[in-house]
């Protein structure tokens, strides 16, 4: 592991530890660096602010692992990984959601799901000529719907079971995504 990655992981772990008990709005760069024994200057060599560090944390703990499952056959595995990560890091995710970081979290989740769903749609349409605008519209629509489910789940304190959420998303997408891609392509 490179020195840069080691430093970034140390900073991310410090931030996670602090977020278990404190709102991200109240955590300072100095507290993060003091916790892991790294200088403020070193922090700023890697990140512009706490939110950029938070983005790095989510990206390296979630995104790297889900990309291999972003296809028609395994999309549920990718979605399950995101939901289970949220459960396993409940304090941190709820802390972000219930703070000034909420917009950041929603944008991050939207971008993550959009990119994942885009790959699923590419897999669905690999043997079919579909207009790029139709693919984009469907990716955007279903991403917004899934993000809405995710936000509602966060708002309700993550009380609903992961399987229940996955099942609902699957019911809503089952056949309708394919149908919308084909029918939207005919009208395009």
């Amino acid at each position: 592991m490179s020195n840069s990655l080691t430093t970034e992981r140390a900073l991310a772990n410090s931030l996670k530890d602090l977020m278990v008990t404190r709102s991200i709005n109240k955590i300072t760069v100095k507290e993060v660096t003091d916790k892991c024994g790294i200088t403020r200057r070193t922090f700023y060599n890697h990140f512009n602010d706490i939110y950029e560090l938070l983005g790095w944390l989510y990206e390296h703990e979630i995104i790297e692992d889900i990309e291999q499952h972003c296809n028609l056959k395994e999309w549920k595995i990718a979605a399950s990984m995101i939901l289970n990560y949220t459960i396993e890091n409940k304090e941190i995710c709820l802390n972000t959601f219930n703070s000034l970081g909420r917009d950041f979290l929603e944008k991050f989740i939207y971008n993550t799901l959009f990119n994942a769903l885009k790959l699923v749609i590419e897999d669905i349409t690999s043997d079919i000529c579909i207009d790029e605008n139709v693919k984009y519209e469907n990716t955007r629509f279903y991403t917004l719907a899934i993000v809405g489910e995710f936000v509602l789940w966060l708002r309700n304190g993550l009380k609903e079971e992961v399987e229940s959420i996955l099942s609902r998303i699957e019911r809503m997408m089952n056949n309708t995504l394919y149908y919308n891609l084909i029918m939207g392509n005919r009208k395009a």
Side-chain angles (χ1 to χ4, degrees):
M1 189 179 317
S2 73
N3 285 341
S4 180
L5 188 57
T6 301
T7 301
E8 290 161 345
R9 287 205 189 282
L11 290 165
N13 287 334
S14 293
L15 179 61
K16 277 179 76 171
D17 289 346
L18 291 166
M19 286 180 70
V20 169
T21 57
R22 301 199 33 229
S23 170
I24 190 164
N25 320 0
K26 307 238 188 258
I27 297 171
T28 66
V29 170
K30 182 174 179 0
E31 290 171 312
V32 172
T33 57
D34 285 352
K35 185 154 185 62
C36 64
I38 293 173
T39 66
R40 285 174 53 91
R41 182 176 179 176
T42 301
F43 177 95
Y44 288 113
N45 286 338
H46 294 270
F47 303 103
N48 290 319
D49 58 23
I50 295 287
Y51 291 101
E52 188 176 343
L53 171 59
L54 182 64
W56 185 94
L57 182 143
Y58 285 142
E59 185 170 328
H60 285 80
E61 290 194 352
I62 301 174
I63 294 177
E64 287 178 349
D65 295 334
I66 68 167
E67 287 179 346
Q68 66 192 10
H69 302 290
C70 294
N71 56 59
L72 181 59
K73 194 177 199 178
E74 298 180 351
W75 72 265
K76 247 176 118 173
I77 294 170
S80 177
M81 289 171 75
I82 293 169
L83 295 170
N84 284 320
Y85 174 88
T86 305
I87 291 287
E88 291 163 11
N89 295 278
K90 182 177 182 173
E91 294 88 2
I92 295 161
C93 293
L94 288 175
N95 179 335
T96 305
F97 182 74
N98 293 317
S99 72
L100 296 176
R102 180 180 182 160
D103 283 345
F104 171 84
L105 181 63
E106 286 184 30
K107 285 177 192 170
F108 176 81
I109 294 298
Y110 176 87
N111 290 335
T112 301
L113 291 173
F114 183 90
N115 291 329
L117 197 52
K118 184 177 176 184
L119 293 172
V120 171
I121 286 175
E122 287 299 325
D123 188 30
I124 292 170
T125 61
S126 63
D127 296 335
I128 309 165
C129 183
I130 301 286
D131 182 87
E132 290 302 315
N133 287 331
V134 171
K135 290 181 191 178
Y136 172 78
E137 289 171 353
N138 278 274
T139 304
R140 184 172 168 262
F141 178 84
Y142 284 100
T143 299
L144 287 168
I146 295 168
V147 168
E149 285 290 324
F150 190 81
V151 166
L152 183 61
W153 185 53
L154 285 165
R155 187 176 292 137
N156 292 328
L158 310 177
K159 292 179 182 153
E160 187 175 0
E161 295 293 322
V162 167
E163 252 333 291
S164 175
I165 296 166
L166 289 172
S167 179
R168 184 170 48 260
I169 292 169
E170 184 175 35
R171 278 193 318 273
M172 296 300 131
M173 286 180 52
N174 198 15
N175 297 323
T176 62
L177 178 57
Y178 182 79
Y179 177 81
N180 287 336
L181 287 165
I182 301 304
M183 293 311 290
N185 201 52
R186 289 186 180 158
K187 295 175 184 174

